[in-house]
Amino acid sequence: MPTPFQFHLDATDGQARAGRFTTPHGELLTPVFAPVGTQATVKALTPAQLEEIGASLVLANTYHLYLRPGDELVAQMGGLHEFMGWPRPILTDSGGYQVFSLAERRQIDEDGVTFRSHIDGSSHHFTPEKVTAIQENLGADIIMALDECAEPYNREYNQLATARTSAWAERCLKAQKRDDQALFGIVQGGVFPDLRAQSAEFIASLGFPGHAIGGLSVGETKEEMHQMLKVVLPVLPEGKPRYLMGVGTPEDLVNAVKQGIDIFDCVLPTRLGRNKAVFLRGGERLNLRNVAFADDPNPIDEACKCYTCRHFSRAYLRHLIVAKEMLAATLLSIHNLHTLIQLATDMRQAIIKGRFEQFAQPWTGS
Amino acid sequence: MPTPFQFHLDATDGQARAGRFTTPHGELLTPVFAPVGTQATVKALTPAQLEEIGASLVLANTYHLYLRPGDELVAQMGGLHEFMGWPRPILTDSGGYQVFSLAERRQIDEDGVTFRSHIDGSSHHFTPEKVTAIQENLGADIIMALDECAEPYNREYNQLATARTSAWAERCLKAQKRDDQALFGIVQGGVFPDLRAQSAEFIASLGFPGHAIGGLSVGETKEEMHQMLKVVLPVLPEGKPRYLMGVGTPEDLVNAVKQGIDIFDCVLPTRLGRNKAVFLRGGERLNLRNVAFADDPNPIDEACKCYTCRHFSRAYLRHLIVAKEMLAATLLSIHNLHTLIQLATDMRQAIIKGRFEQFAQPWTGS
């Protein structure tokens, strides 16, 4: 059948790629960074503010929305785009990561995973078929296969989890009924190059329209993360988008794009914003609660074009923080998201101009 | 000296007035409702969102800003407009009301009031001269004389407080140094018609560019509030703006405009918004946490043109409330403020068209 999903490479520079991924809710220009809207809202921001920041893709969490307000309610309200007032592309994860990190008393077997809700302790069962159906109710443009995210250094567990992730990927593909959602397969394997390579080979063989790399940025070192990308990326087909889940910092983004990653998401910019910290362009962080900023008339970053930096001083932002005003979280989140989204845009331009190495040098040190 | 403050009546209809008050930061079309930005921020909203709502005047609290971040810091940062990123007119209160309602262990004498900060217990002294100087540091367009807000039913205390408010009004006028701020005098007198009339006559005699009525909506009945307006308003000069402090509900606004009030402020719309309640157009309130709204696909108010009603269902808003998302406070505050600001705009149009009685009938019942 004809697919609404086309991935076109506008340019490459070394392994770095400037792509274009068409979805039913518009085109994603890659590299792209997706703000996280866990509960169908990017915390403290309206969709209008997200558009002004330049966000094109938003991630929402299947585990959270399944528990509250329920995927069937979201479907009844017209799907996630309509429900949360976000007309552009949305990606939902499979819920796997949250089940393994948030839920209580989880029990995993070949069929799936039984867990208790972190909200009310109620018991639930996720299978590949179930999370596919939930994501079809939610109606995102990009949906994810159920995977098992193991502790990165436990080889035995990673062998088992990678095998289950492979079997579940096949079952998700079979379970998919809607043809207007791109289902991505997920590569696991911890910090073990042979497991990562096996996982990537198997997942790539299944014919997904895109691939994700999971189980990174979960406790391993930066060097190990880069090493795993070096193993996995050459195995994944060039003509399909590649998504590095849950990453990350400005430095992580640049290093991963250098290796050929196209899509990112991370709670970091909004979580830091709620915790009073902001990115500077080079990746340094400031904690604006610091008394040194009490009478600082400058914006967070002189060169930044975000709403916050165009209108407010560090002194005002610190005042909002000290006075415990909600507006602090909003203004800091705007700045942090803008910084990562602008970085992705700048990387895209550098790739198109064939100057990515030069652009990346301050971060990659090479 | 030439004053930047001109008050022109575009139209009157009965006692209701459609006016135009010029200030250094732009013209106020009256009747006007001012959102409250206690700590130099209207809680949960950016200035851009306030502009989209149609806000023209914002109130900030002298007591709060004096304690934190300090009026001298605000002056050093270029004044309140620059500090909080609000380029339109600002009004600051005198701090009197907060000292009498918030501060601990206050001691009042003829000179002024000594109190302890509600934040850290530190001791402070407010005099008419001091609050005028603080408000000159803050730099609002409209500033208020120091007044004493007594319990409404205590006649003896109201006699004393009204006398002090009169003396302090004169001292504020003498203390004023800047000529780009309109200093308003405040009428007190509790629920006692003779005290109200005496206070209004004295304050009106001092030549302020505008007058406020304080000590209402503080525990008295609606009937008593209307009665006090009937006593006070005929005493105040027609050619100057009249401000009813701390009011109020849609019903209060309509009834007060009917009697000749031009300016209002109230925390109610934003406080209700943070407490999950919304106004409907007729003044009824809904608590959106109610389970009845869990699957309600309609906006808060079908006829409302605010950002919230144009984009979000009651079901989504209830989800945000139940999930404890900050966006709920933002979206509900937008709707509630829009409702009162639109009501003020609609009243102005009705006055200009000579149809105010008809417009007001559903609220005033007359």
Side-chain angles (χ1 to χ4, degrees):
Chain A
M1 70 192 105
T3 168
F5 300 96
Q6 304 287 341
F7 185 63
H8 173 73
L9 287 177
D10 290 328
T12 58
D13 186 4
Q15 297 303 311
R17 304 131 57 91
R20 193 175 285 268
F21 190 49
T22 54
T23 82
H25 291 86
E27 202 168 57
L28 294 173
L29 300 178
T30 68
V32 62
F33 178 84
V36 175
T38 302
Q39 303 191 107
T41 161
V42 175
K43 290 188 192 301
L45 298 182
T46 64
Q49 288 168 327
L50 285 174
E51 288 208 34
E52 193 188 327
I53 290 165
S56 52
L57 176 67
V58 165
L59 179 141
N61 288 118
T62 289
Y63 167 84
H64 289 278
L65 295 175
Y66 160 78
L67 290 178
R68 189 171 63 190
D71 52 294
E72 285 173 12
L73 180 78
V74 173
Q76 191 187 329
M77 294 296 124
L80 203 43
H81 296 84
E82 173 76 17
F83 186 60
M84 67 187 284
W86 180 249
R88 301 185 181 197
I90 299 176
L91 183 159
T92 46
D93 63 6
S94 67
Y97 181 77
Q98 278 72 29
V99 167
F100 295 106
S101 62
L102 275 186
E104 295 165 12
R105 284 186 281 172
R106 59 179 197 271
Q107 291 186 307
I108 311 156
D109 59 27
E110 296 313 306
D111 183 53
V113 51
T114 301
F115 60 94
R116 289 189 180 275
S117 157
H118 74 288
I119 300 171
D120 63 5
S122 57
S123 181
H124 302 270
H125 189 59
F126 271 3
T127 61
E129 293 76 19
K130 178 80 177 277
V131 301
T132 305
I134 294 170
Q135 291 183 88
E136 293 191 332
N137 274 335
L138 295 175
D141 302 272
I142 302 173
I143 65 177
M144 305 302 295
L146 186 62
D147 64 328
E148 182 168 358
C149 181
E151 296 93 55
Y153 295 110
N154 183 335
R155 184 175 176 89
E156 202 174 341
Y157 183 15
N158 269 286
Q159 274 178 309
L160 191 65
T162 305
R164 273 203 286 249
T165 296
S166 294
W168 291 354
E170 286 193 281
R171 284 167 58 189
C172 284
L173 270 175
K174 279 190 196 128
Q176 190 182 14
K177 295 196 182 92
R178 287 177 64 161
D179 59 7
D180 60 346
Q181 297 180 295
L183 173 64
F184 281 27
I186 304 178
V187 173
Q188 288 287 351
V191 297
F192 305 100
D194 59 328
L195 297 184
R196 284 279 172 188
Q198 281 169 33
S199 178
E201 275 157 29
F202 183 81
I203 295 295
S205 76
L206 297 179
F208 285 104
H211 302 96
I213 304 173
L216 291 178
S217 199
V218 295
E220 81 289 356
T221 67
K222 297 273 184 199
E223 180 49 35
E224 286 164 335
M225 178 165 86
H226 298 158
Q227 200 53 44
M228 293 307 106
L229 293 180
K230 279 210 182 85
V231 170
V232 168
L233 285 170
V235 181
L236 298 179
E238 285 190 359
K240 292 177 178 180
R242 300 152 170 183
Y243 164 31
L244 180 55
M245 305 181 81
V247 172
T249 66
E251 181 197 342
D252 288 340
L253 262 63
V254 176
N255 278 289
V257 164
K258 188 181 175 189
Q259 297 207 43
I261 292 290
D262 307 301
I263 303 173
F264 301 87
D265 80 282
C266 194
V267 296
L268 189 65
T270 42
R271 182 171 291 166
L272 282 181
R274 294 196 305 285
N275 288 322
K276 329 309 179 201
V278 289
F279 289 128
L280 298 185
R281 279 150 57 87
E284 314 92 300
R285 295 180 197 176
L286 296 183
N287 186 326
L288 287 180
R289 181 183 269 284
N290 194 308
V291 72
F293 303 121
D295 62 353
D296 188 337
N298 300 302
I300 299 169
D301 180 344
E302 280 288 352
C304 180
K305 302 264 192 296
C306 83
Y307 175 73
T308 304
C309 288
R310 282 185 287 117
H311 291 90
F312 306 99
S313 63
R314 292 170 172 186
Y316 180 66
L317 298 172
R318 179 179 186 273
H319 163 65
L320 295 179
I321 290 166
V322 171
K324 297 186 170 54
E325 284 285 352
M326 279 189 272
L327 188 59
T330 301
L331 294 179
L332 272 51
S333 295
I334 285 174
H335 170 79
N336 286 341
L337 283 176
H338 182 273
T339 300
L340 286 196
I341 288 170
Q342 188 62 47
L343 175 61
T345 305
D346 291 347
M347 286 196 283
R348 179 177 164 83
Q349 290 311 313
I351 294 163
I352 289 171
K353 290 179 185 156
R355 295 166 55 180
F356 183 74
E357 277 295 322
Q358 190 180 337
F359 176 90
Q361 206 274 335
W363 284 278
T364 59
S366 63
Chain B
M1 69 191 105
T3 168
F5 300 95
Q6 305 288 341
F7 185 63
H8 172 74
L9 286 177
D10 290 328
T12 58
D13 186 3
Q15 298 303 312
R17 304 131 56 91
R20 194 175 286 268
F21 190 49
T22 54
T23 82
H25 290 85
E27 202 167 57
L28 294 174
L29 300 178
T30 68
V32 63
F33 178 83
V36 176
T38 302
Q39 303 192 106
T41 159
V42 176
K43 290 187 192 301
L45 298 182
T46 64
Q49 287 168 327
L50 285 173
E51 287 208 34
E52 192 189 327
I53 289 164
S56 53
L57 176 67
V58 165
L59 179 142
N61 289 118
T62 289
Y63 167 84
H64 289 279
L65 294 174
Y66 160 77
L67 291 178
R68 190 172 61 191
D71 52 294
E72 286 174 11
L73 179 78
V74 173
Q76 190 187 330
M77 293 297 123
L80 203 43
H81 296 85
E82 172 77 16
F83 186 60
M84 68 187 283
W86 180 249
R88 301 185 181 197
I90 299 177
L91 183 158
T92 48
D93 64 5
S94 68
Y97 181 78
Q98 279 72 31
V99 167
F100 295 106
S101 63
L102 276 186
E104 294 165 14
R105 284 186 282 173
R106 59 178 198 270
Q107 289 186 311
I108 310 156
D109 59 27
E110 296 312 306
D111 182 54
V113 49
T114 302
F115 60 93
R116 290 189 179 274
S117 158
H118 74 287
I119 299 170
D120 62 6
S122 56
S123 181
H124 302 270
H125 189 59
F126 271 4
T127 62
E129 294 75 18
K130 178 81 178 275
V131 300
T132 305
I134 294 169
Q135 290 183 88
E136 293 191 332
N137 274 335
L138 295 174
D141 301 271
I142 302 173
I143 65 177
M144 305 302 297
L146 186 63
D147 63 329
E148 181 168 359
C149 180
E151 295 95 54
Y153 295 109
N154 184 335
R155 184 176 176 89
E156 203 174 341
Y157 183 15
N158 270 285
Q159 275 178 309
L160 191 65
T162 305
R164 272 202 286 250
T165 296
S166 294
W168 291 353
E170 286 191 282
R171 284 167 59 189
C172 284
L173 269 175
K174 278 189 198 129
Q176 189 180 16
K177 296 195 182 98
R178 287 177 65 161
D179 60 5
D180 60 347
Q181 298 181 296
L183 173 64
F184 280 27
I186 304 178
V187 174
Q188 288 287 352
V191 297
F192 305 101
D194 58 328
L195 297 184
R196 284 282 173 185
Q198 282 169 30
S199 177
E201 275 157 28
F202 183 81
I203 295 295
S205 76
L206 297 180
F208 286 105
H211 302 96
I213 305 174
L216 291 178
S217 200
V218 296
E220 81 290 356
T221 67
K222 297 274 183 198
E223 180 49 35
E224 286 164 335
M225 178 164 86
H226 299 158
Q227 200 53 45
M228 293 306 106
L229 292 180
K230 279 208 182 87
V231 171
V232 168
L233 285 170
V235 181
L236 299 179
E238 285 189 359
K240 293 177 176 177
R242 300 151 170 183
Y243 164 32
L244 180 55
M245 305 181 80
V247 173
T249 65
E251 182 197 341
D252 289 339
L253 261 62
V254 175
N255 278 290
V257 164
K258 188 182 174 188
Q259 297 206 44
I261 293 289
D262 308 301
I263 302 173
F264 301 88
D265 80 281
C266 194
V267 295
L268 188 65
T270 41
R271 184 170 291 167
L272 282 182
R274 295 196 303 286
N275 288 320
K276 331 306 180 203
V278 290
F279 289 129
L280 297 185
R281 279 149 58 87
E284 314 92 299
R285 297 179 196 174
L286 295 183
N287 186 325
L288 287 181
R289 182 183 268 284
N290 195 307
V291 70
F293 303 121
D295 61 353
D296 188 338
N298 299 302
I300 298 169
D301 179 344
E302 280 289 352
C304 179
K305 301 267 193 293
C306 82
Y307 174 74
T308 304
C309 287
R310 283 186 285 116
H311 290 91
F312 305 100
S313 63
R314 292 170 172 186
Y316 180 65
L317 298 172
R318 179 180 186 272
H319 163 64
L320 294 179
I321 291 166
V322 172
K324 298 187 169 54
E325 284 286 351
M326 279 190 271
L327 187 60
T330 300
L331 294 179
L332 271 51
S333 295
I334 285 175
H335 170 79
N336 286 342
L337 283 176
H338 182 272
T339 300
L340 287 197
I341 287 169
Q342 187 63 47
L343 175 60
T345 305
D346 291 346
M347 286 195 284
R348 178 176 165 84
Q349 290 310 311
I351 294 163
I352 289 171
K353 290 178 184 159
R355 294 167 56 179
F356 183 75
E357 277 295 322
Q358 190 179 337
F359 177 90
Q361 205 274 335
W363 285 276
T364 60
S366 62

